[in-house]
Amino acid sequence: MTSMSARFLRLCAAGALAAAALLPSVTPAAASTLTLRVGTTQDLDAMNPWNTALEVGYEVFTLNYDLLVGFGPTLEPIPGYASSWTRQAAADGKSFTWTFKIRDGMKWSDGQPATAEDARWTLQFVLDAANGGNSIGLGYIDPDLKNAGVTKIAAPDPTTLVITNTDPSNRILQMYIPILPEHVWKGQTLKSIPTFTNDPPVVGTGPYQAVEWKTGQYVRLVRNPYYWGKRGAADEVVLQFFKNPDTMVQALKSGQIDYASGVNAAQFDNLKTVPGMVAVAGTTNGWTELDFNCYGKDIPGGGASTKALRDPAFRDALGYAIDKNLLISKVLGGYGTPGTTQVPPFQTRWHVEPDNPRTFDIGLAKQKLDAAGYVLNASGQRLDKQGKPLKLRLYMPNSDATYPKDAQFIKDWFSQLGIAITTQIFDSGTLTTLELPPTKDAPTQTAAWDMIIWGWTGYADPNPLLQIFTTGAIGSTSDSLYSNPTYDQLFTAQNAATTYDQRHQLMAQMQNIFYNDAPYHILYYPSTLDVHRTDKFGGWQNQPANGVPLFGYGSLDYTLLTDANAATPAPSVAVSAGPSASGGSASPAPVVPGGTSSGSPLPLVAGIAVVVALLVGVLLMTRRRRAATGEDDE
Amino acid sequence: MGSRFLGRKLLQMIFTIAMIVILNFLLFRLMPGSPERILFRNPNVTPAVLADARARWGLDKPLIPDQLIAYVESTLQGDLGYSFKYQGQAVTDVIGQAIWPTLILFGLGEVIAIVVGLGLGAYAGWKRGGIVDYLGNGVSLVLYAMPYFVIGMALVLIFATALRWFPTSGMLRIGADYASWVNQLVDFLAHLALPLATVSIGLIGQYSILMRSSIIETLGEDYVTTARAKGLTSGRILRSHAFPNAMLPAVTLIAINLGYVVAGAVTVEYVFAWPGLGSLTVDALAARDYPVLQGIFLLLSIAVVVANFVADLIYGYLDPRVRA
């Protein structure tokens, strides 16, 4: 054996020994804390509630903060920052006074008193922005206050918040606005909010407080020692962000996470037979649609390829050539319901089925097209009213693997009508601009498309999903560029409705107009597919009953979890809870555990070590070469 | 090595980086789609909110010269700006969190692949037709052809889910309280094991194949025959004569690959939820997060340019003709 191979063997042996010494000792750190680990494929974008655009951001901020009024198991109003409320109508019936009681002795997670003044400050900040015609941050959540018709906010004493509003409905109880600690947020302005990171540890009144956030990796929350409500079994909650759903599923299977949010149908079917796992297919507050470019004006060098798309009769006829049940079975693996109106069935209080639903019938679709004046030519091509063969461009974003599958089916069905379809996938960013018509600020936009497959997710109230079909939304959120003055009037009227029945009746009309005019064909309402383990935590509850346990509305479900291994399910930290005045005084100091894994400089040190190793390697190589050359010269 | 050679290479490097800085700016802005549209696909959004965001990000001013000048000025001062997506977070922070995981994973992966791959290739070439050559070459070809995610998912299924020897994902056990830094290091190594194995296995193939053919080529050279005639041992001939000369093409490949250490491999990072630069790049691209994209590409370009510069220097050592 040569000396080189002997040395190589020695090195290998040393390496193997080192590995053997290290690997068997891989054990999780002593876990006295009970941690709920939740996996999601979304990546948190902001800890500041005004700046998040993602569901996971909402999940985090409702764990950190209370809403004024929470959401119960069936999305009914339950105590949140306010423990109770009453409403008093003015004599003229046009305005209302709401009196919210704030718990006496409630505290922020840093131990400061949480009073009605904090709520007043938060809501007044939103009201001032709205009155000035401004939005806060990304502008997602603040419109709730305006939609609730709030005009005046006062905090006459630390436990009383008085709000005057003009909205006759109870939308004020559904505002998705977190109540923030004035002592932390006081210096913030409209200008500063977009760059205010609200770094952990976060101070809130919610059940868990974020103490650590690693962008692209996870956010870790610990129990709020002063939380006023029911205490969930988890001492800590970790939301872990996965890029790859397959890895998330493997992490669930091996017990590294307890909950996987948003798995696909195949994974779901596979997991639902695994013992110790519960797979829940919940209703989604959203849809997947096929939308048409209904823009009513010609756009030089752009716009739809045919005026037929402006004709409701044409769009209606195409609806008969879409087999929604087949799409659900073939594309969603059966996990969804056929789409009808723009108010998803998730909104049980507002969804109505259309009066004249379409059925899948290619023959009928052909008849309707013929009757509307779109006839076939001798070579079987369907012509528009200008005599041009219909060739439609169908676009979709790359954000969802189901869209191209939907497109293949639609292409086939429409070709049976004599309409040629070309499909193209864009990245979402490109499509958001491509779909827009010219505006004053952006005169070069061309809206050069015919049909798009995409989706929307709704809010607690149907208003935002109704709004995207109003004329005013063209140029911003409207992606059908649809305009109907009657629809616009109904939108305004339902906002001003004085009773539930009245608003419901107006909204029913809007849903029928939408369905019959067909700026969209809603293909389906896909199910949300979540899977959780039952070996660590019990007490999982869907919200609402047809929903999924987590990623619902508010933080209630986290507080209902029990320790599956405890003799009596009880919170594992004995801290005096409840809203009593003395409740907080005996509590431990609000020191937030932290400074463990991620705060460590280990990755940095290891990284530097690797760089140094590389440099040393390069140096050694060159020195060896020089030495070798010298040797040869001898 | 002559100082003129060094000076010329340095000047070239600085010029390249300057060009990249400008290109970086233009490249992403020429892409269709605007960041505020992506971030604000929101049924509640108003045109005023969109306009505010554009103004805040400086996108309301003319691209050239205003935006370009502002960008070059701040870049020269080392200020890479703030992320659009992770609002309020400095680009240096966002990239800073992602760069070390990538460097560790791909740096170590490269080192292992270089040592094992070059060793395997050299041995296979030296003993051409032997069992190591026969098996090694076949395995190398298969590994070379295999995408990272296939190797990665296979490792996860076997070693994480079935055997439970290693965690499936992440870099450290989140929220763990470590008794000492040794425990933390062990936890880190456990998390690192599978992704590192994936990267190394994925890279070994190309080094081994290249080195094998390179060694075979040098074996036919006159100086090897001379060395044999002088009566040197096989090992000495391989170490002192064949191997150093066969290293030349390998140095090029190593330099190219080292440049991409910073870029990482998106698929490995995706499979193992390894929080590196690769996945950050993809996310930033989807969000049209111009400042983060600019930052990453600047870093990447500098890494590639510097790696090539170093390769040039090493080349100069290895082959004196290059210095001429």
Side-chain angles (χ1 to χ4, degrees):
Chain A
M1 190 181 281
T2 63
S3 63
M4 185 185 89
S5 43
R7 222 178 326 162
F8 180 68
L9 277 179
R10 277 202 300 274
L11 262 176
C12 287
L17 270 176
L22 286 173
L23 290 178
S25 55
V26 174
T27 44
S32 54
T33 47
L34 187 60
T35 304
L36 171 71
R37 296 172 190 274
V38 179
T40 164
T41 50
Q42 284 194 343
D43 171 18
L44 182 68
D45 49 354
M47 190 60 75
N48 179 339
W50 306 109
N51 293 346
T52 179
L54 300 173
E55 201 181 14
V56 67
Y58 282 49
E59 195 76 348
V60 169
F61 85 63
T62 48
L63 283 165
N64 280 328
Y65 302 107
D66 282 309
L67 306 171
L68 183 62
V69 176
F71 288 84
T74 60
L75 303 182
E76 78 281 13
I78 58 167
Y81 194 87
S83 56
S84 64
W85 47 90
T86 54
R87 185 176 87 156
Q88 181 82 46
D92 61 0
K94 288 186 177 160
S95 71
F96 309 88
T97 303
W98 291 82
T99 306
F100 293 91
K101 291 314 281 182
I102 311 299
R103 288 172 200 84
D104 191 13
M106 188 161 66
K107 286 185 177 183
W108 294 101
S109 56
D110 64 356
Q112 297 285 317
T115 67
E117 171 55 23
D118 292 290
R120 186 209 64 78
W121 178 85
T122 306
L123 299 177
Q124 190 65 48
F125 184 66
V126 182
L127 185 61
D128 290 346
N131 287 342
N134 296 309
S135 284
I136 306 175
L138 292 186
Y140 275 70
I141 47 179
D142 46 309
D144 281 4
L145 191 85
K146 203 171 141 196
N147 287 334
V150 172
T151 54
K152 204 172 137 202
I153 304 151
D157 65 66
T159 61
T160 310
L161 179 75
V162 180
I163 299 180
T164 311
N165 79 334
T166 55
D167 176 64
S169 74
N170 67 352
R171 263 185 290 181
I172 196 168
L173 304 179
Q174 292 187 316
M175 295 190 300
Y176 223 73
I177 299 174
I179 302 301
L180 305 170
E182 185 182 0
H183 65 280
V184 175
W185 286 73
K186 198 168 187 174
Q188 298 302 323
T189 63
L190 282 177
K191 285 272 176 236
S192 69
I193 290 275
T195 53
F196 177 54
T197 48
N198 194 30
D199 289 329
V202 171
V203 177
T205 53
Y208 293 94
Q209 302 297 309
V211 290
E212 188 182 13
W213 174 30
K214 284 281 174 193
T215 50
Q217 300 181 56
Y218 62 87
V219 59
R220 186 165 71 91
L221 303 100
V222 301
R223 189 192 293 286
N224 173 2
Y226 299 112
Y227 184 56
W228 50 268
K230 185 176 160 56
R231 308 174 72 76
D235 301 308
E236 295 194 0
V237 175
V238 168
L239 298 173
Q240 200 173 339
F241 318 130
F242 288 86
K243 303 288 180 194
N244 176 8
D246 289 322
T247 312
M248 178 170 74
V249 166
Q250 295 307 324
L252 182 75
K253 277 183 167 176
S254 59
Q256 287 161 42
I257 56 171
D258 305 299
Y259 191 98
S261 167
V263 303
N264 67 35
Q267 293 163 338
F268 188 82
D269 283 338
N270 172 269
L271 288 169
K272 73 182 174 191
T273 57
V274 176
M277 302 255 188
V278 178
V280 186
T283 310
T284 305
N285 188 11
W287 67 66
T288 294
E289 88 267 356
L290 172 74
D291 53 281
F292 297 107
N293 185 342
C294 307
Y295 200 53
K297 289 181 248 172
D298 292 337
I299 302 170
S305 64
T306 171
K307 287 188 168 62
L309 290 171
R310 296 181 196 173
D311 181 0
F314 176 75
R315 303 190 300 251
D316 170 58
L318 294 184
Y320 288 88
I322 299 172
D323 187 348
K324 296 174 179 176
N325 287 310
L326 190 72
L327 288 179
I328 291 164
S329 119
K330 298 290 181 192
V331 177
L332 298 184
Y335 297 110
T337 50
T340 50
T341 78
Q342 76 278 45
V343 179
F346 179 92
Q347 305 266 4
T348 47
R349 299 177 68 228
W350 305 108
H351 174 80
V352 294
E353 281 298 299
D355 296 338
N356 302 303
R358 300 178 191 94
T359 49
F360 174 63
D361 187 340
I362 295 274
L364 189 55
K366 288 177 180 170
Q367 282 176 30
K368 285 190 174 275
L369 284 172
D370 289 339
Y374 302 95
V375 293
L376 291 174
N377 67 9
S379 45
Q381 292 172 308
R382 183 97 29 203
L383 305 177
D384 66 12
K385 288 181 179 171
Q386 286 73 40
K388 198 171 67 163
L390 284 159
K391 289 181 183 164
L392 303 180
R393 297 161 293 183
L394 173 56
Y395 297 160
M396 65 215 82
N398 59 359
S399 53
D400 197 316
T402 59
Y403 298 159
K405 295 179 191 163
D406 293 326
Q408 280 309 309
F409 283 100
I410 290 167
K411 188 176 177 177
D412 179 50
W413 290 322
F414 286 11
S415 73
Q416 293 179 45
L417 304 176
I419 299 170
I421 304 289
T422 53
T423 59
Q424 198 172 343
I425 301 173
F426 290 88
D427 95 309
S428 311
T430 304
L431 203 53
T432 45
T433 307
L434 189 147
E435 66 182 7
L436 293 167
T439 57
K440 199 169 73 199
D441 297 328
T444 55
Q445 292 172 162
T446 56
W449 57 280
D450 296 321
M451 299 186 292
I452 290 176
I453 298 177
W454 211 334
W456 283 101
T457 302
Y459 284 58
D461 187 83
N463 231 31
L465 289 181
L466 295 169
Q467 188 176 17
I468 55 180
F469 302 99
T470 57
T471 308
I474 294 177
S476 57
T477 48
S478 173
D479 52 5
S480 57
L481 315 180
Y482 167 76
S483 171
N484 179 336
T486 313
Y487 185 93
D488 295 345
Q489 283 161 15
L490 287 168
F491 178 75
T492 310
Q494 63 87 26
N495 254 337
T498 51
T499 63
Y500 165 76
D501 288 341
Q502 198 181 8
R503 190 174 180 218
H504 185 270
Q505 189 261 330
L506 292 164
M507 223 186 275
Q509 282 185 57
M510 294 176 77
Q511 291 179 69
N512 268 297
I513 290 177
F514 167 87
Y515 189 81
N516 296 331
D517 270 8
Y520 280 11
H521 287 306
I522 295 195
L523 300 176
Y524 42 73
Y525 307 110
S527 299
T528 300
L529 303 178
D530 287 6
V531 186
H532 61 264
R533 298 175 68 97
T534 51
D535 56 348
K536 263 169 72 184
F537 292 96
W540 299 99
Q541 186 172 318
N542 299 337
Q543 185 208 38
N546 59 352
V548 290
L550 303 183
F551 293 89
Y553 287 81
S555 57
L556 174 75
D557 291 307
Y558 291 83
T559 65
L560 301 179
L561 292 180
T562 55
D563 181 350
N565 299 308
T568 43
S572 53
V573 172
V575 174
S576 149
S580 68
S582 60
S585 59
S587 301
V591 178
V592 273
T596 53
S597 59
S598 64
S600 108
L602 181 69
L604 182 77
V605 172
I608 292 170
V610 169
V611 173
V612 170
L614 280 174
L615 288 174
V616 169
V618 168
L619 267 175
L620 278 178
M621 235 169 65
T622 52
R623 286 187 62 137
R624 258 191 75 118
R625 169 67 188 145
R626 257 198 292 186
T629 321
E631 212 172 86
D632 289 346
D633 291 345
E634 280 163 20
Chain B
M1 181 171 295
S3 59
R4 276 184 60 191
F5 172 75
L6 195 70
R8 200 173 63 223
K9 287 284 165 201
L10 261 176
L11 263 181
Q12 273 177 8
M13 190 172 84
I14 291 166
F15 179 75
T16 313
I17 291 174
M19 283 295 101
I20 286 164
V21 167
I22 307 227
L23 194 70
N24 255 351
F25 172 81
L26 293 174
L27 194 66
F28 302 114
R29 285 168 173 76
L30 292 177
M31 282 163 65
S34 53
E36 80 278 8
R37 285 284 173 202
I38 297 165
L39 210 48
F40 296 79
R41 194 172 190 268
N42 158 14
N44 274 337
V45 82
T46 59
V49 173
L50 295 178
D52 274 0
R54 287 189 71 80
R56 191 163 62 241
W57 296 333
L59 300 176
D60 56 337
K61 299 195 183 77
L63 191 63
I64 298 169
D66 300 40
Q67 285 190 49
L68 179 63
I69 290 174
Y71 160 72
V72 172
E73 267 177 14
S74 55
T75 304
L76 285 178
Q77 290 162 18
D79 174 12
L80 299 179
Y82 289 89
S83 165
F84 291 169
K85 184 189 169 195
Y86 300 114
Q87 296 167 70
Q89 297 204 27
V91 170
T92 40
D93 290 347
V94 174
I95 295 180
Q97 285 189 24
I99 189 168
W100 295 111
T102 296
L103 273 181
I104 296 166
L105 177 57
F106 286 87
L108 278 178
E110 280 284 349
V111 170
I112 292 173
I114 289 169
V115 171
V116 178
L118 293 187
L120 189 70
Y123 190 79
W126 187 245
K127 305 268 178 188
R128 184 151 54 131
I131 183 87
V132 173
D133 184 27
Y134 186 71
L135 278 179
N137 207 25
V139 171
S140 294
L141 272 174
V142 171
L143 294 181
Y144 191 19
M146 217 188 254
Y148 281 133
F149 70 88
V150 174
I151 305 172
M153 275 324 285
L155 293 182
V156 166
L157 286 173
I158 297 168
F159 295 105
T161 312
L163 297 172
R164 302 206 177 184
W165 287 0
F166 300 103
T168 52
S169 53
M171 205 164 62
L172 285 168
R173 196 177 153 76
I174 303 160
D177 273 313
Y178 297 104
S180 75
W181 67 269
V182 177
N183 294 5
Q184 192 180 355
L185 182 67
V186 168
D187 186 32
F188 174 71
L189 290 175
H191 281 84
L192 179 68
L194 293 185
L196 183 62
T198 307
V199 172
S200 310
I201 291 173
L203 284 170
I204 282 173
Q206 49 176 310
Y207 286 124
S208 153
I209 290 169
L210 182 85
M211 197 61 194
R212 177 184 175 272
S213 60
S214 193
I215 282 280
I216 288 172
E217 209 172 291
T218 49
L219 289 184
E221 299 285 346
D222 292 343
Y223 55 82
V224 173
T225 316
T226 314
R228 280 215 174 95
K230 277 163 68 181
L232 296 183
T233 60
S234 300
R236 178 76 187 278
I237 297 171
L238 177 63
R239 263 183 301 139
S240 304
H241 298 277
F243 196 83
N245 285 294
M247 273 301 287
L248 284 174
V251 166
T252 313
L253 183 68
I254 291 170
I256 292 170
N257 281 348
L258 280 188
Y260 289 108
V261 162
V262 179
V266 176
T267 44
V268 181
E269 291 179 7
Y270 263 60
V271 168
F272 294 100
W274 191 260
L277 275 185
S279 32
L280 181 68
T281 311
V282 176
D283 293 348
L285 208 56
R288 299 291 187 279
D289 197 339
Y290 299 150
V292 170
L293 283 172
Q294 283 162 186
I296 292 172
F297 276 74
L298 185 66
L299 191 73
L300 239 155
S301 326
I302 292 174
V304 173
V305 171
V306 169
N308 277 309
F309 178 69
V310 173
D312 279 345
L313 297 186
I314 293 178
Y315 240 88
Y317 273 113
L318 289 177
D319 186 351
R321 285 169 298 178
V322 177
R323 277 176 273 167

